[in-house]
Amino acid sequence: MLRHAYDPPALTPGTLRVIPLGGLGEVGRNMTVYEFDGKLLVVDCGVLFPEEHQPGVDLILPDITKIEDRLDDIVGVVLTHGHEDHIGGVPYLLKKRHDIPLIGSKLTLALVAAKLKEHRIKPVLHEVVEDERMQLAPFDLEFIAVNHSIPDALAVAIRTPAGLVIGTGDFKMDQLPLDGRITDLRAFARLGEEGVDLFMTDSTNAEVPGFTPLEKDIGPVIEQVIARTEGKVVVASFSSHVHRVQQVLDAAVANGRRVVLLGRSMVRNMKIAADLGYLEVPEGVLVDLKKSGEIPDNRIVYMSTGSQGEPMAVLSRMANQEHQIEVGERDTVILASSLIPGNENSVYRVINGIMRLGAHVVHKGNAKVHVSGHASAGELMYCYNIVRPKNVMPIHGEYRHLVANAEVAIQTGVPQNRTIIGDNGTVVDLVDGVARKVGQVDIDFIYVDGKSVGRVTDEDLRDRRTLAEEGFISVVTVVEPVTGQIVSGPDVHTRGVAEEEEVFASITPKIATALEQAMKEGTTDQHQLEQITRRTIGRWVGTKLRRKAMIVPVVVLV
């Protein structure tokens, strides 16, 4: 459903305004801004990873430009947990104002602090725990333990005179979690008794019926796969999936194997988790990559990044035989993670590449080596029945996920007109127990390309796609406008065009004729002559070669 931008009205006293700047209609770059009494509270600031149609882009940020002129009004950023899609954008926000307080759990803050250190930013950190309350200007915050695929995740309840809002963050309701920390349904019930005016819930798994399987069921499967493998084992997962790494460490020990952590982010995050006590590392199990060559293949497990097919991650480089660790016959590669929508082609390309090398590939589709970190429809229904919210706004998911989540809410008795299916930039006002859409702000992708942030445009990406798919043609001509003569050229040069440059011999006389005719009629402007060149060769290339190559005409006046 396309949404046309329209300006919201001025915020009236006593009204809470909610604007998601990312995370709706997509899986990633989660960020929501709450405004009350002239102050802004930000919940999460993550990144979205690029898809194949966004060549050269490293990361995609929430549209933080929408609050650039109000940085001094931000009272804090609440971080619900330590995954990249919730904390990855924090450095780019703090580069605009270093002293914005960051509020989160111990592990979450440790992960974001390490990330900020790489950007040479020393943050203001405020550590909180579940059941804690804190006052942040007009926002009365309460933190609730939730279970997710990373330890120390929190939901946040936000109280203002306008009402009570709960943002779940990413969560599920695993009743036997590896760390023993379950989602605090008692807190949800207590807040429900108080009266929840707006419930903003994780939608990622809303299309999946029933309940998300237990995390503890994964460990034995990984252990069995390792036991069956004659050669080396490579396990790929997210670099912050502490629970999965714990299971791999335990399975390796059970099979008499050592473990090597591969990938800078994997090594960094697991060191943090171990130092803080969230990861229990059996003595002697970890070995440095430099020393792993001394260990037989049947006594080693490599824990790596790259489960989403990222081209520069460890697993992709293995598949392309560009990494020092080689996989082949007798080896097994385990993809222990969910497939993020949009990454399918990249992941399948890596799987095919690894299988061509002779290795066996185990993934969620053929073995129970991963469970989701998100609540399925049955768990969401439980939450709606416990909380009994007056208004619901599904968050964190593609549009189909948001719709499925809203349908679950309606089934439990939430009125359809109190169920808001929004988009990035949808402006929602909460007042007198009623949440309404009051505006739609245009939200842009903010691309990170190397050291460039926000300078790459959609037009630049179209040009990159054209270069990649259609090729490049340049035409250089030296002319003397006074006499109307061509001194040199036209010379045609191509890149990424299958045809030999000799093929263009039939068009160069036509370009020359068009330029001479234009100069004879009084055209001496360089740009106009270049446009004539572009049109002439462009029509020929489109008709004869059936291509839409990027054409760069260069006319030199002498």
Side-chain angles (χ1 to χ4, degrees):
M1 180 178 177
L2 296 176
R3 300 182 187 280
H4 301 287
Y6 60 99
D7 292 333
L11 188 59
T12 58
T15 299
L16 175 69
R17 177 158 289 176
V18 183
I19 309 178
L21 300 184
L24 272 66
E26 59 199 0
V27 179
R29 68 167 189 157
N30 298 288
M31 182 176 182
T32 304
V33 177
Y34 299 83
E35 180 178 2
F36 188 85
D37 196 21
K39 299 297 181 182
L40 304 180
L41 174 71
V42 177
V43 175
D44 290 324
C45 185
V47 295
L48 177 68
F49 293 101
E51 298 181 18
E52 290 184 339
H53 66 276
Q54 295 159 327
V57 173
D58 299 318
L59 301 168
I60 305 171
L61 304 179
D63 193 355
I64 54 181
T65 62
K66 295 296 180 287
I67 55 173
E68 272 185 337
D69 60 344
R70 300 200 51 193
L71 293 174
D72 291 338
D73 294 332
I74 300 175
V75 297
V77 177
V78 173
L79 302 172
T80 58
H81 64 279
H83 281 153
E84 285 293 304
D85 59 334
H86 289 257
I87 68 170
V90 171
Y92 303 95
L93 177 61
L94 262 58
K95 282 179 181 178
K96 300 178 181 298
R97 184 188 145 199
H98 284 200
D99 63 343
I100 299 175
L102 303 180
I103 300 102
S105 64
K106 180 187 292 185
L107 179 60
T108 302
L109 293 184
L111 293 173
V112 79
K115 182 178 295 293
L116 290 167
K117 186 176 181 180
E118 296 179 358
H119 290 262
R120 299 181 180 179
I121 297 174
K122 188 174 181 180
V124 177
L125 304 177
H126 188 111
E127 183 182 320
V128 294
V129 296
E130 55 261 34
D131 301 325
E132 182 174 341
R133 286 182 71 164
M134 69 176 295
Q135 190 73 36
L136 205 58
F139 303 99
D140 178 5
L141 308 180
E142 180 178 349
F143 301 94
I144 307 154
V146 292
N147 177 246
H148 187 39
S149 53
I150 186 172
D152 247 8
L154 295 169
V156 58
I158 304 169
R159 293 179 177 87
T160 67
L164 170 59
V165 179
I166 298 178
T168 64
D170 289 353
F171 85 110
K172 60 179 177 177
M173 289 165 51
D174 191 331
Q175 297 303 295
L176 297 170
L178 297 181
D179 58 3
R181 186 174 178 272
I182 63 174
T183 293
D184 191 352
L185 297 180
R186 292 174 300 176
F188 280 145
R190 173 174 49 79
L191 292 167
E193 290 295 325
E194 181 180 331
V196 174
D197 296 288
L198 179 60
F199 197 28
M200 301 175 67
T201 51
D202 177 12
S203 304
T204 311
N205 255 15
E207 286 187 314
V208 180
F211 289 75
T212 301
L214 301 178
E215 196 82 37
K216 75 177 186 66
D217 294 341
I218 302 303
V221 179
I222 293 176
E223 186 174 326
Q224 290 168 14
V225 172
I226 293 176
R228 291 197 304 264
T229 302
E230 297 178 1
K232 67 176 74 70
V233 176
V234 179
V235 184
S237 186
F238 296 116
S239 64
S240 55
H241 202 327
V242 178
H243 295 324
R244 191 69 68 246
V245 175
Q246 183 70 67
Q247 290 172 314
V248 171
L249 292 176
D250 295 342
V253 170
N255 284 280
R257 293 186 183 235
R258 308 282 296 279
V259 177
V260 179
L261 300 179
L262 296 178
R264 186 170 58 89
S265 59
M266 176 71 73
V267 173
R268 180 194 66 200
N269 291 345
M270 291 310 114
K271 183 180 186 308
I272 291 170
D275 289 345
L276 296 177
Y278 294 97
L279 181 70
E280 295 182 9
V281 182
E283 187 173 353
V285 68
L286 288 180
V287 62
D288 189 83
L289 174 62
K290 295 176 182 177
K291 297 181 180 179
S292 64
E294 305 168 5
I295 301 173
D297 283 353
N298 65 351
R299 287 289 175 261
I300 198 79
V301 175
Y302 295 96
M303 186 76 219
S304 82
T305 57
S307 61
Q308 298 303 307
E310 305 95 314
M312 295 308 294
V314 171
L315 203 61
S316 291
R317 288 156 56 203
M318 285 184 185
N320 295 329
Q321 296 181 286
E322 297 171 351
H323 196 275
Q324 66 187 87
I325 305 302
E326 298 178 352
V327 295
E329 294 182 9
R330 300 173 61 247
D331 298 333
T332 296
V333 175
I334 303 172
L335 274 70
S337 64
S338 293
L339 186 59
I340 294 176
N343 293 345
E344 292 88 351
N345 290 340
S346 299
V347 172
Y348 295 143
R349 188 181 301 117
V350 169
I351 291 174
N352 288 325
I354 290 170
M355 294 186 73
R356 287 180 188 278
L357 298 174
H360 179 53
V361 178
V362 178
H363 53 81
K364 188 180 179 182
N366 59 23
K368 194 172 182 180
V369 292
H370 181 73
V371 296
S372 174
H374 302 270
S376 298
E379 292 155 273
L380 293 173
M381 187 169 288
Y382 258 79
C383 282
Y384 287 128
N385 283 330
I386 289 169
V387 174
R388 291 293 180 188
K390 297 176 184 175
N391 303 271
V392 167
M393 183 177 181
I395 55 173
H396 302 172
E398 295 183 358
Y399 194 79
R400 59 194 174 95
H401 302 141
L402 305 180
V403 170
N405 194 349
E407 289 174 352
V408 174
I410 292 168
Q411 288 175 27
T412 64
V414 179
Q416 186 167 357
N417 63 352
R418 296 291 186 91
T419 305
I420 298 172
I421 301 176
D423 207 340
N424 292 332
T426 297
V427 183
V428 174
D429 281 358
L430 174 66
V431 62
D432 296 331
V434 179
R436 296 186 181 90
K437 295 180 191 177
V438 297
Q440 181 67 42
V441 179
D442 279 329
I443 296 294
D444 297 320
F445 285 124
I446 306 298
Y447 298 112
V448 177
D449 183 358
K451 292 186 176 180
S452 169
V453 180
R455 294 175 185 168
V456 174
T457 64
D458 288 329
E459 185 177 348
D460 294 327
L461 294 183
R462 280 195 297 273
D463 288 345
R464 291 179 183 182
R465 289 194 294 272
T466 300
L467 284 170
E469 297 166 6
E470 303 290 344
F472 170 89
I473 300 171
S474 68
V475 184
V476 180
T477 312
V478 180
V479 303
E480 189 175 346
V482 175
T483 62
Q485 299 296 310
I486 292 178
V487 178
S488 174
D491 296 321
V492 177
H493 305 276
T494 65
R495 288 290 185 274
V497 177
E499 289 75 14
E500 298 292 335
E501 292 184 1
E502 289 76 13
V503 172
F504 294 87
S506 63
I507 187 60
T508 51
K510 296 179 181 179
I511 297 172
T513 300
L515 290 173
E516 288 171 344
Q517 182 65 30
M519 288 186 288
K520 181 179 178 181
E521 294 174 356
T523 301
T524 58
D525 178 73
Q526 181 184 20
H527 176 70
Q528 290 180 341
L529 293 173
E530 288 175 343
Q531 290 301 99
I532 290 168
T533 303
R534 185 194 304 277
R535 285 195 297 271
T536 305
I537 192 170
R539 284 194 297 268
W540 184 86
V541 168
T543 303
K544 298 294 184 182
L545 304 184
R546 302 296 183 186
R547 301 184 73 89
K548 297 180 180 179
M550 176 176 286
I551 298 172
V552 179
V554 179
V555 174
V556 181
L557 306 182
V558 297

